[in-house]
Every structure is written in structure tokens, then in C-alpha cells.
Amino acid sequence: DLPDRPRWERALDRASTVVAHASFLTAGIREHATVVFPAESYAEKEGTIVHPDGLVQRLRPAIARQGGNRPGWWVLRELAARLGLDVRAFHGPAVSKQVFDAVAFYEGLSLDVIAGRGTRWPQADAAGAWPEPERDPSGPGIEAVAQANGRLRLGTFRSIWSGPEVEVSPALKFLVPKARAELSPDDARRLGVTDGARVSVRAGDDVVHAVAAIRATVPAGSVFVEGNRLRGPLVEVAARRAAPVEEVAS
């Protein structure tokens, strides 16, 4: 599902060993993986999760692990043991403590501090004492934003429901996100696109068919496309003709 799939295929073909740790056996894994370790789904995982706003919360299993699934830390521990290294990872909470002890930013954090409601750790005194990173004034500057020149600057995003668990579950089919292309009202008028219309977003030879969503918060000259199948920085957006009856039925 990444851009330029043929390049990924060529790279995997040249790899001498491919180790996969995955929840689902996809066509790519089946064809290229030398070893596959079954991974947990999000509903089976235990540990912590950090939100973009800095909120740290406990992650607890909602269902039992299925089949031969094992935690990621368990797989690493067993591999380390076979290499003669004892990482002393006995259970999930012990691994979380190792993470807190090893990362200076998390000094003083514990599962008891996180508790049931979570904590915004960047606001804690211990986290605030972590020094600012050094900045190299001679380092590379920020690249100039690509000019639209009739095309639109590309931004991408992922739906909260994007994930293999949703895609393969019959009960969750109604949550599978449809590709959206979010446009500003000015660009929509210029392109003759209405809210909910079918559009094509093209970057070179790659095309994504999506449903237009007109958003006043989208800056003019930009389009935000759901998924990661396109590479920018500039793309062309065009309205699509109505689908034939046969295509709709299929």
C-alpha cells in the first residue's frame, strides 16, 4: 500500500533475508518473507500509548491472543536468548519499566503514575527538566514550499479506521474508510468540483480516485488525500465523469 510498489518489489526480491512481524499474511509477506512472526492486533496488545498531545495512557488487552500470537517484546526476548543475551523481559509491565528507565525523557514515569486516566507527561516536572536539543545553525534550512502553478500541493492523512483489522472483519466493513480528497472552497470552484463529487488525483503515473470533501479550513492551493499512495509535492485534481450503471452495480 506504499507508493511506487514496483520499487519495493525489486528491493524485496534482492534481499537475502526478510523477517516479518505482522498480524495478517498479505500477498507481499507470503511471497517475500523468509520468516514470519505472528504479531498481535491492537485489541490484544499490552503496554502504553502516547498521543500527539503528550497524553500517555495504558494499553490493555481487550481479547485473548489468538493462535500463535506473541507480544513483540516476547519475540525479541526469545531471539536475544538464542544469541546468548538475557534482556530480563519477563512480562509486559517489566518491559514498560525498562522503557521508562532507558529513556531520559520518561524518568520517574511508571504504570502507577499513568493509572487509569493517563498523564500528560510533557507537563510533568521530570519531563520538563529534560534539556532542549542542540541546534546546528549551519545545518540545512527548510525547503521552500512548492508553488501550485495550477496544480495543488499534496498533503496526506490516515483515517482512524485505517487498518487491516477493519478491512478483513465482516462485522466492521461499514467502517472501512473511502478515499477522500479535501479541498478549499476556492479550489473547488475553480476546478468545478462539488462536495461529495468523484475526483481523480494524479501524481505522474499514479492516480487515486476519491470523493471530494470541501473544507473551509484547507488552505487554497492544497489538497489533502486520505492514504499514502501518492507522492507530491504537486498533484493534479480533476472531476470524474459519472460511473456507468454496470460499474456502480459491480
Side-chain angles (χ1 to χ4, degrees):
D1 59 352
L2 296 175
D4 200 355
R5 176 168 180 160
R7 179 176 294 184
W8 285 97
E9 295 284 355
R10 292 194 298 272
L12 289 169
D13 284 338
R14 290 197 300 266
S16 60
T17 303
V18 177
V19 180
H21 190 221
S23 303
F24 294 90
L25 189 61
T26 64
I29 292 175
R30 184 182 293 108
E31 180 178 355
H32 296 287
T34 311
V35 178
V36 179
F37 293 110
E40 302 166 291
S41 70
Y42 69 90
E44 299 167 308
K45 291 182 178 179
E46 178 186 19
T48 60
I49 183 171
V50 183
H51 296 271
D53 65 352
L55 177 65
V56 186
Q57 287 185 300
R58 290 286 302 271
L59 195 62
R60 301 176 186 272
I63 61 175
R65 297 186 184 92
Q66 308 298 300
N69 287 8
R70 296 292 184 271
W73 61 263
W74 185 93
V75 173
L76 294 176
R77 184 193 70 182
E78 292 300 307
L79 290 173
R82 284 157 174 76
L83 296 173
L85 178 64
D86 181 10
V87 295
R88 303 190 64 77
F90 306 112
H91 47 72
V95 175
S96 294
K97 185 178 186 307
Q98 288 192 20
V99 173
F100 300 148
D101 292 343
V103 180
F105 179 80
Y106 289 128
E107 182 181 357
L109 187 61
S110 69
L111 296 181
D112 289 336
V113 171
I114 298 173
R117 298 179 61 86
T119 179
R120 283 188 167 79
W121 192 244
Q123 299 174 0
D125 293 338
W130 181 241
E132 289 288 330
E134 295 183 2
R135 294 177 173 83
D136 182 3
S138 62
I142 299 176
E143 296 182 4
V145 177
Q147 297 300 312
N149 295 328
R151 293 182 289 172
L152 299 178
R153 294 179 292 269
L154 174 67
T156 59
F157 66 96
R158 287 175 61 86
S159 166
I160 189 174
W161 300 116
S162 294
E165 292 86 358
V166 174
E167 294 174 5
V168 303
S169 172
L172 299 178
K173 286 295 184 183
F174 72 100
L175 292 174
V176 175
K178 298 178 180 178
R180 297 198 312 276
E182 299 188 354
L183 300 151
S184 72
D186 291 341
D187 289 320
R189 283 191 292 268
R190 177 175 61 82
L191 296 169
V193 172
T194 58
D195 191 68
R198 294 152 55 88
V199 297
S200 298
V201 185
R202 180 181 298 274
D205 295 331
D206 297 325
V207 180
V208 167
H209 301 305
V211 175
I214 313 304
R215 300 281 188 267
T217 53
V218 175
S222 300
V223 59
F224 290 86
V225 180
E226 187 168 353
N228 58 0
R229 288 175 288 173
L230 293 176
R231 285 183 176 177
L234 301 177
V235 295
E236 298 175 351
V237 179
R240 297 181 64 199
R241 63 178 177 82
V245 174
E246 294 81 1
E247 182 181 344
V248 173
S250 63

